[in-house]
Amino acid sequence: MVIVLKKNSSEEQKEYICSFLKERNFKINEIVGEEDTVIAAVGKVSMDIRELELLPGVCNVIPISKPFKLASREFKKENTVIEIPNNRGQIIRIGGQRIVSIAGPCAVESREQIMETAAAVASSGAVMLRGGAYKPRSSPYSFQGLGEKGLEYLKEAGDKFGLPIVTEIVSESLIPVMKDYVDVYQIGARNMQNFDLLRKVGAIGKPVILKRSYTATLEELLMSAEYLLSSGTDNVILCERGIRTFEHATRNTLDISAVPVLRSLTHLPILVDPSHAVGIREKVPSMGLASIASGADGIIVEVHTHPEKALSDGAQSMLPAQFDKMMHDIEALAPVIGKSVAHIREENFSVVNSPEKKSTGKIVCAYSGKRGAYAEQAISRYFDSHDIEARAVDSFEEIFQSVVDGKADYGMVPIENSLAGSVFQNYDNFTRFEDVSIAGAVTLNIRHALLGVKGASLSGIKNVYSHPQPFTQCKKFLDGHKEWNLIDSVSTATAAQFVSEKGLAENAAIASPLNAPLYNLEILAEDIENDPGNFTRFVVIQANHTAKPSGAGEANVPANMASFIFKTKNEPGALYNVLGVFNDFGLNMTRLESRPITGQPWRYWFYADAQIKNANAPEYVKSLMEKLSEKVEEIRLLGIYSELGK
């Protein structure tokens, strides 16, 4: 059962509740969530739970009806995020907003082979390295792995490329040998119900990937996870790898439906192994994409530089080029489903040492609006750290001012939308705040919904509140309701909060569907934007004197963008000459905007974004700036940074 504590419960009350449960032979586990603190109690319920409900500090008691307790959604509402450090001081998170890719050969065959494969998968975007040192094979005459020597090669390769190690454990007797090499244990399909092994591996406390047996139901998979959880580890990752059906065209049948079903049943992260599912390398990439589209937190795939010579599962092992293409496709897909792809950091970046961080222990990122604003969602996607405080302010200008004043380390500001165009106010803010630069960028798929109070209906709506941009983005929907009054708000979340506070059925807000549960509203109409290809590009701003954020997704990818503001000379061909410099440097200019200069009629600031592919981006851009300075009246480099999804 789950005991939900009152928000104002004291430590003494909590200790008494725990003591009460322990005396009755319950195993307890405290979970502090975003909204509530709960105590999970596992044991035989031989008492009247009303006794527990009457204890001081108890809000309510929820019996868990599922046979799997610790793995159930009833036990924990929020998704579990499992953190796995690498040797570069970076944390790989499985279960959050980033899609992870684990790749490597089926078996470690030689030092040369694993080093070559690790280099290939790391360069394409894998964040963890898989490979078997001990191989449970159907035939006793097949290659069984290199044993401890294979573990040594695997560890060496992982350390060189910053990839934590994933490998299968086939027997509890191997725990002493493997413990110093392995970051994540894998329980294979054959051992999913090897309960002695599950208990022993769970007691180690390290993360475990548990693969579904090809004959197991989802409930049986979760019951096996329960063995691991009840034995000591909190870090269990489920893996769908295909089930045996009557179909023989593929090795197994990939049960894609398992991902959303498991998501509703459990808080545990979910991976998919398309390699073992289909067994045909040409089919693996499409199944990898389907896995991500279904909601999986990542994929684990087999890659081999020479699969025709592989000693194990060569037919299903992708070539590096195939893996690279699949990772590019996943990068393109990720924004559509509201996620980004995890990457291994190539450089070390120092954390901002601001007064704000010293006092709170967290990096502060300011955004405009209220809780649930799209900018807050962009902060969650961009920053690869839990030590981030998203701080709401009242306007875009206040974001810039907070960064300049040191009240916030960073700011998240929208710069353009694929349907409504540029957010010119923020372009203007860059000219006003010269001490601010761009640290990174992230693109968010924007999905709008019409939200109203409980019991409201479309026919009763009179007033609709939102930021001006969503009104443009939802014009087709709004054109069908000409009788509605459209009223501007600071942000979509501010509009949702206002409608909630007023409590009138005649009011509605256009905002993210995520705002409905936050403000106790109902979704009256969903996906009302003009086009599903509705994306907003946000930039992360910082004060010029600060360092790059170590907890950000931007730091995980090499710099690929540069942004400039410049004012051309007042002479014929001035803009043509400037654009010629970009062309001479072979740069792809992805954006060019103009804004009038205050007090100078018919004069304009130009804003340019360009893709940077040179490995030595700072020196390359320095040379570019020197050439541009010869052609313009004034120029400022806004930043050299990484854009997630680019």
Side-chain angles (χ1 to χ4, degrees), residues 8-73:
N8 59 351
S9 61
S10 65
E11 282 297 318
E12 291 77 13
Q13 289 172 336
K14 184 165 59 177
E15 289 175 6
Y16 182 78
I17 295 167
C18 292
S19 176
F20 179 89
L21 292 166
K22 288 177 180 177
E23 288 174 1
R24 287 154 180 80
N25 298 318
F26 282 93
K27 180 181 177 181
I28 62 173
N29 187 18
E30 181 184 347
I31 302 172
V32 179
E34 292 184 6
E35 300 293 336
D36 300 305
T37 297
V38 303
I39 296 174
V42 179
K44 186 175 181 180
V45 181
S46 57
M47 64 178 185
D48 188 339
I49 64 170
R50 288 176 294 183
E51 295 180 44
L52 191 54
E53 290 175 328
L54 294 174
L55 293 180
V58 174
C59 177
N60 65 313
V61 179
I62 306 170
I64 299 178
S65 58
K66 301 287 191 303
F68 45 90
K69 309 298 182 184
L70 299 175
S72 72
R73 278 280 178 200

Side-chain angles (χ1 to χ4, degrees), residues 367-377 396 446-449 451 465-471 473-474 487-500 508-516 519 521 538:
Y367 69 97
S368 178
K370 300 293 183 183
R371 187 180 177 198
Y374 288 109
E376 186 186 28
Q377 297 174 40
F396 294 145
I446 303 299
R447 295 181 59 204
H448 290 309
L451 309 181
Y465 298 82
S466 194
H467 186 270
Q469 286 265 336
F471 287 145
Q473 296 163 11
C474 303
I487 304 170
D488 290 353
S489 298
V490 172
S491 72
T492 55
T494 303
Q497 184 186 43
F498 177 84
V499 170
S500 177
I510 294 178
S512 166
L514 297 178
N515 283 271
Y519 296 108
L521 298 173
F538 292 83

Side-chain angles (χ1 to χ4, degrees), residues 464-483:
V464 178
Y465 298 82
S466 194
H467 186 270
Q469 286 265 336
F471 287 145
T472 303
Q473 296 163 11
C474 303
K475 185 176 184 300
K476 292 180 181 177
F477 173 79
L478 293 172
D479 283 346
H481 302 277
K482 297 286 190 181
E483 71 276 14

